[in-house]
Amino acid sequence: MPFKRYVEIGRVALVNYGKDYGKLVVIVDVVDQNRALVDAPDMVRGQMNFKRLTLTDITIDIPRVPKKKTLIEAMEKADVKNKWASSSWGRKLIVQKRRASLNDFDRFKLMLAKIKVSFRYTPYCVYPFYTRVLFLKNLPQNFNRSLTSCNTVLQRSGVIKQELAKLKKENAS
Amino acid sequence: MAAKRKTPIKTRNPDLIRGVGKYSRSKMYHKRGLWAIKAKNGGVFPRHEPNPKPTTAVEKPPKFYPADDVKKPLLNKRKPKPTKLRASITPGTVLILLAGRFMGKRVVFLKQLSSGLLLVTGPFKINGVPLRRVNQSYVIATSTKIDISGVNLDKFDDKYFAKEVENKKKKTEGEFFEAEKEDKKKLPEDKKEDQKAVDAFLIKSIEGVPELKAYLAARFSLKSGMKPHELVF
């Protein structure tokens, strides 16, 4: 298992501790065994311990300790922002942030949406009695309401039934 | 009074160093012309008559002296201020009640009453919470707001919610042993009408927002994994 992400000049890293938590920074120089000089477009260039950084896959092409202007140009050229936002790690962070900022009303709407999606796949017997009245009138006549069947309230489309019928025929023949 | 000078005088006794004047006391006496004032007034300094003191009533010695010294309590001039309303609570905010019969219910805030309590309503048709007073401390304010600009809340104040005084009837011996008949306390019709009037407008604006009605009908509860200090309300 060799290392894949190296500390090098131009390596983009995520700050995982401290005042700049969550920011993407670029390693611009190495101070000593433990510390790097680190810079970002919206931050004053400063030293940071490697323990506070998590390396990402993204690197940019910069000379050692570039001026802020060249740094920003290089970041634009390498399209760091979009690469990050489209990477799975970056997307996960965005989702986490969105989830954390949900309103109480938003959480309620999310819950309703989840139930709506799962309704298609949960069997009838799982629903509590007081909710079953709500869809009693929409059930077909021959609906099997026993605990042993896993009939969903919305019967799945005929495709599955056809496949099952085909298998039955094969077994019979 | 001496005539006023047109230009204010510079000090007659300039400082040599801070705190030390150039002229001595006797020299200053001469410079100020106090000898001339004295001479004008026949060798004596002029004195004004003192203002007559207002006549105080004659105080009689008290008839009774307490055996021990009784301390007088200190004067308290404090005027309590009305409870400060949290900035997150504005008319039309959805609040979550945290205690009492309607614990967990999501409810619409109408206005703050003069006692500091918050006037709140379900609306009654949606979640069963009537027009009610609630303390600010027992409430979480969410950031969901409803438009309540069309509702008239002038008639609701603390007196509206005061308990009705019952007349106690004296019981004779015979009646004492009868089972206590209590008339069921019914809500007066005008209070029901008030509730309907306020709710009619609210329900219309609530139905304008999708899923808000179901939201207000549901109770809030903490589920597994929810950390209240990290939740955004």
Side-chain angles (χ1 to χ4, degrees):
Chain A
M1 301 183 305
F3 289 99
K4 291 223 179 77
R5 299 175 187 158
Y6 294 96
V7 168
E8 51 193 321
I9 296 184
R11 173 69 62 183
V12 173
L14 187 69
V15 179
N16 59 27
Y17 183 90
K19 191 173 63 116
D20 302 310
Y21 179 82
K23 273 207 198 140
L24 276 183
V25 292
V26 179
I27 294 177
V28 134
D29 197 1
V30 172
V31 177
D32 62 12
Q33 193 198 349
N34 297 318
R35 286 178 297 160
L37 191 62
V38 128
D39 203 355
D42 57 344
M43 163 183 133
V44 179
R45 190 202 305 154
Q47 60 88 25
M48 221 179 244
N49 194 318
F50 286 120
K51 291 189 179 175
R52 292 198 175 191
L53 298 173
T54 333
L55 303 178
T56 66
D57 289 328
I58 310 171
T59 45
I60 63 177
D61 185 19
I62 47 169
R64 189 181 72 93
V65 194
K67 289 205 191 332
K68 209 47 161 245
K69 204 170 68 164
T70 36
L71 176 70
I72 294 176
E73 276 172 17
M75 286 184 91
E76 294 282 314
K77 192 156 160 250
D79 206 14
V80 169
K81 247 196 188 161
N82 290 337
K83 270 204 203 139
W84 180 243
S86 57
S87 73
S88 63
W89 183 0
R91 273 183 284 136
K92 269 189 253 172
L93 285 187
I94 291 172
V95 170
Q96 277 176 19
K97 224 184 259 183
R98 179 76 185 103
R99 282 219 184 106
S101 71
L102 282 181
N103 199 351
D104 190 43
F105 188 26
D106 292 334
R107 265 175 265 132
F108 182 79
K109 286 192 269 190
L110 183 68
M111 175 190 71
L112 290 185
K114 282 190 180 171
I115 290 172
K116 200 168 175 194
V117 168
S118 70
F119 178 71
R120 177 175 266 270
Y121 302 102
T122 49
Y124 175 82
C125 52
V126 167
Y127 287 102
F129 291 113
Y130 69 89
T131 54
R132 291 188 199 177
V133 259
L134 295 169
F135 36 75
L136 214 52
K137 31 187 161 159
N138 295 339
L139 291 176
Q141 288 285 24
N142 57 346
F143 194 81
N144 186 353
R145 282 184 236 162
S146 70
L147 286 171
T148 51
S149 76
C150 2
N151 296 352
T152 52
V153 178
L154 301 170
Q155 301 282 36
R156 293 192 202 156
S157 64
V159 178
I160 297 178
K161 276 196 192 149
Q162 285 173 21
E163 297 295 305
L164 283 174
K166 275 191 205 159
L167 282 175
K168 262 196 189 162
K169 272 194 199 156
E170 286 175 35
N171 283 346
S173 59
Chain B
M1 289 294 273
K4 276 202 165 172
R5 292 170 67 91
K6 282 199 185 137
T7 53
I9 192 174
K10 290 181 265 184
T11 45
R12 288 192 176 93
N13 192 1
D15 274 355
L16 295 175
I17 300 175
R18 190 183 84 128
V20 179
K22 188 171 169 189
Y23 298 108
S24 65
R25 278 182 90 97
S26 44
K27 277 276 191 315
M28 281 310 299
Y29 177 88
H30 176 77
K31 268 175 133 353
R32 282 167 69 193
L34 300 178
W35 51 272
I37 296 174
K38 248 184 159 178
K40 230 184 185 187
N41 206 26
V44 191
F45 262 114
R47 290 183 78 207
H48 294 287
E49 289 291 322
N51 288 344
K53 275 203 215 148
T55 49
T56 50
V58 180
E59 276 188 33
K60 286 203 289 193
K63 274 189 247 179
F64 171 73
Y65 291 93
D68 300 309
D69 278 332
V70 179
K71 276 198 176 167
K72 235 179 28 178
L74 291 171
L75 202 61
N76 184 5
K77 289 204 199 136
R78 174 174 177 263
K79 281 199 193 75
K81 284 192 273 196
T83 323
K84 191 163 165 209
L85 195 61
R86 264 182 271 163
S88 52
I89 303 179
T90 60
T93 315
V94 172
L95 308 173
I96 300 175
L97 300 180
L98 295 174
R101 187 166 163 217
F102 301 106
M103 184 160 43
K105 292 260 189 199
R106 295 166 171 127
V107 124
V108 179
F109 168 67
L110 297 174
K111 75 171 187 182
Q112 184 181 30
L113 303 171
S114 53
S115 63
L117 299 173
L118 311 179
L119 177 65
V120 127
T121 180
F124 186 71
K125 265 244 141 68
I126 296 182
N127 55 17
V129 179
L131 280 162
R132 201 168 204 264
R133 293 182 299 172
V134 136
N135 191 320
Q136 214 189 137
S137 311
Y138 297 95
V139 135
I140 293 179
T142 63
S143 42
T144 319
K145 314 252 182 229
I146 300 173
D147 179 29
I148 63 164
S149 47
V151 191
N152 186 5
L153 300 167
D154 291 335
K155 61 167 1 189
F156 303 116
D157 59 346
D158 290 297
K159 272 197 282 225
Y160 179 88
F161 294 98
K163 269 212 184 117
E164 303 201 353
V165 185
E166 288 174 30
N167 323 0
K168 277 196 179 167
K169 286 187 246 166
K170 294 244 163 174
K171 296 189 175 132
T172 62
E173 253 196 50
E175 282 176 15
F176 209 68
F177 292 105
E178 269 180 30
E180 281 204 0
K181 351 179 232 173
E182 274 183 38
D183 300 307
K184 264 196 120 181
K185 294 200 188 117
K186 284 207 161 156
L187 246 198
E189 280 300 319
D190 55 338
K191 291 219 169 164
K192 291 191 191 168
E193 292 299 321
D194 293 335
Q195 179 79 54
K196 280 194 203 146
V198 172
D199 286 355
F201 185 82
L202 281 179
I203 290 178
K204 240 193 291 168
S205 28
I206 287 169
E207 283 176 350
V209 184
E211 296 176 340
L212 188 59
K213 198 167 174 197
Y215 174 64
L216 290 176
R219 283 207 203 220
F220 171 83
S221 69
L222 274 185
K223 307 248 167 46
S224 182
M226 286 172 118
K227 298 175 195 161
H229 68 293
E230 285 178 0
L231 287 180
V232 168
F233 282 101

